[in-house]
Amino acid sequence: MDRQQILSMYEWAIGTCFRHPAKGKVRTTVVGSIHPRCGGERKVLGCEDCVIAMEDIRREVAARTGGEYKPGHLGECLG
């Protein structure tokens, strides 16, 4: 699966990437969530480059552990 196919599996909106805030407002998608001590939940947004990097890591871990790799599921299940 190529980069564009993976990116098309996500819903995108303009936001600030958690890892690259200096880029300013770019296309982002939800890649996770955090629960601050003060309560509530905050969505963590990642840019296209971060999504591809995280998908690459997931693919490598699946290959190393014999697990199945299914792209397009960042932010759905953390842990």
Side-chain angles (χ1 to χ4, degrees):
M1 192 169 263
D2 71 19
R3 177 184 172 98
Q4 197 54 47
Q5 289 172 314
I6 292 171
L7 294 176
S8 71
M9 300 178 98
Y10 292 94
E11 292 184 31
W12 297 90
I14 300 301
T16 302
C17 176
F18 79 101
R19 194 164 170 222
H20 301 109
K23 285 184 177 181
K25 299 291 185 182
V26 295
R27 280 178 21 117
T28 60
T29 193
V30 175
V31 296
S33 60
I34 57 172
H35 301 284
R37 282 188 188 180
C38 60
E41 177 182 72
R42 296 225 176 146
K43 299 296 181 188
V44 178
L45 304 177
C47 67
E48 293 178 354
D49 291 338
C50 286
V51 167
I52 293 300
M54 287 186 273
E55 287 286 1
D56 287 344
I57 291 167
R58 291 181 64 238
R59 183 172 39 266
E60 291 168 9
V61 168
R64 193 171 50 245
T65 62
E68 184 178 5
Y69 168 66
K70 292 183 181 179
H73 297 284
L74 293 174
E76 288 180 12
C77 179
L78 301 175

